[in-house]
Amino acid sequence: MATAQPVIGVLALQGDVREHLLTLAECDVLARPVRRPEELAEVDGIVIPGGESTTMSRLLEVFELLEPLRQRLADGLPAYGSCAGMIMLASKVLDGRPDQHPLGAVDMTVRRNAFGRQVDSFEADLDFAGVGPLHAVFIRAPWVESAGAGVEVLATVPESASAGEAAGRIVAVRQGSVLATAFHPELTGDGRVHRLFTEMVRRA
Ligand code: GLN
């Protein structure tokens, strides 16, 4: 007997939606774009892509998805956010915009464009807990400034000659069935972070 595949939505208002859908397609799940409340109601997990969190936040209101998404997250919907998605899932945003609405799914404060004060984009080799060594691409990325006691830190920027102020900063976290990374595994053809998330959805 075939086991039903979980349905994973990708919030498709803005950002690198296609890259997430393609990466999820390799994970033995049904991956679908989500733009309407009816589509959100049907998913077993949601991915919030990289892009621009201020724009996505505004579009959540325009598409009447802000409250339904907050409600589903509060009810325990598994979620994964990369970069802008990490910012959206936070409980507090530093250097955000006043009309930006944090979804509050992870008890953490993130700083928007945190690395941008030194360099816009960079790559680093991380040690990702439970996944292993991972090559990460950061694009105008946030970092996690602080996280609550219930938040598990999965990766930090390693110490290196070029890391500077970024060394030791938290760039991947998990709280219950919510996962967030400051970087973009959907852009590197490495499906391991998405597989971790889809396993979280299966177990939830
Ligand atoms: N800087 C963007 C923001 O504030 C995030 C960038 C990204 O997702 N690559 O939302």
Side-chain angles (χ1 to χ4, degrees), residues 7-191:
V7 178
I8 314 272
V10 178
L11 187 66
L13 305 179
Q14 190 267 336
D16 62 351
V17 175
R18 185 170 166 272
E19 289 78 0
H20 277 289
L21 288 170
L22 289 171
T23 312
L24 287 167
E26 309 284 303
C27 296
D28 199 27
V29 296
L30 297 172
R32 295 183 184 160
V34 167
R35 282 185 202 91
R36 297 184 296 130
E38 307 83 83
E39 292 165 339
L40 177 64
E42 286 170 4
V43 300
D44 302 308
I46 186 89
V47 171
I48 307 184
E52 177 48 57
S53 58
T54 54
T55 308
M56 243 185 273
S57 194
R58 187 163 43 77
L59 291 174
L60 273 179
E61 281 189 295
V62 173
F63 282 72
E64 295 181 350
L65 275 168
L66 180 61
E67 285 316 315
L69 181 54
R70 277 211 173 115
Q71 191 55 54
R72 285 225 60 192
L73 290 169
D75 291 344
L77 178 71
Y80 167 44
S82 68
C83 200
M86 170 186 253
I87 299 171
M88 307 281 296
L89 289 171
S91 45
K92 189 168 174 211
V93 179
L94 303 175
D95 294 338
R97 285 194 6 185
D99 58 349
Q100 187 156 10
H101 315 288
L103 294 166
V106 179
D107 177 18
M108 64 177 171
T109 298
V110 300
R111 186 175 293 281
R112 232 179 115 229
N113 300 336
F115 300 95
R117 280 170 287 170
Q118 311 163 68
V119 58
D120 262 5
S121 305
F122 67 99
E123 303 189 12
D125 290 305
L126 308 177
D127 186 13
F128 195 112
V131 169
L134 185 139
H135 187 71
V137 172
F138 295 83
I139 304 167
R140 293 184 62 74
W143 66 42
V144 179
E145 191 98 0
S146 61
V151 178
E152 200 184 332
V153 173
L154 301 180
T156 56
V157 176
E159 305 281 340
S160 79
S162 58
E165 210 198 328
R169 293 293 180 174
I170 301 169
V171 289
V173 294
R174 173 179 180 170
Q175 183 173 22
S177 55
V178 182
L179 179 69
T181 63
F183 53 91
H184 295 271
E186 72 278 13
L187 297 183
T188 45
D190 180 342

Side-chain angles (χ1 to χ4, degrees), residues 4-6 27-29 78 195 197-204:
Q5 288 180 312
C27 296
D28 199 27
V29 296
R195 271 198 289 280
F197 177 58
T198 56
E199 278 314 308
M200 286 163 56
V201 174
R202 282 192 179 87
R203 276 188 224 118

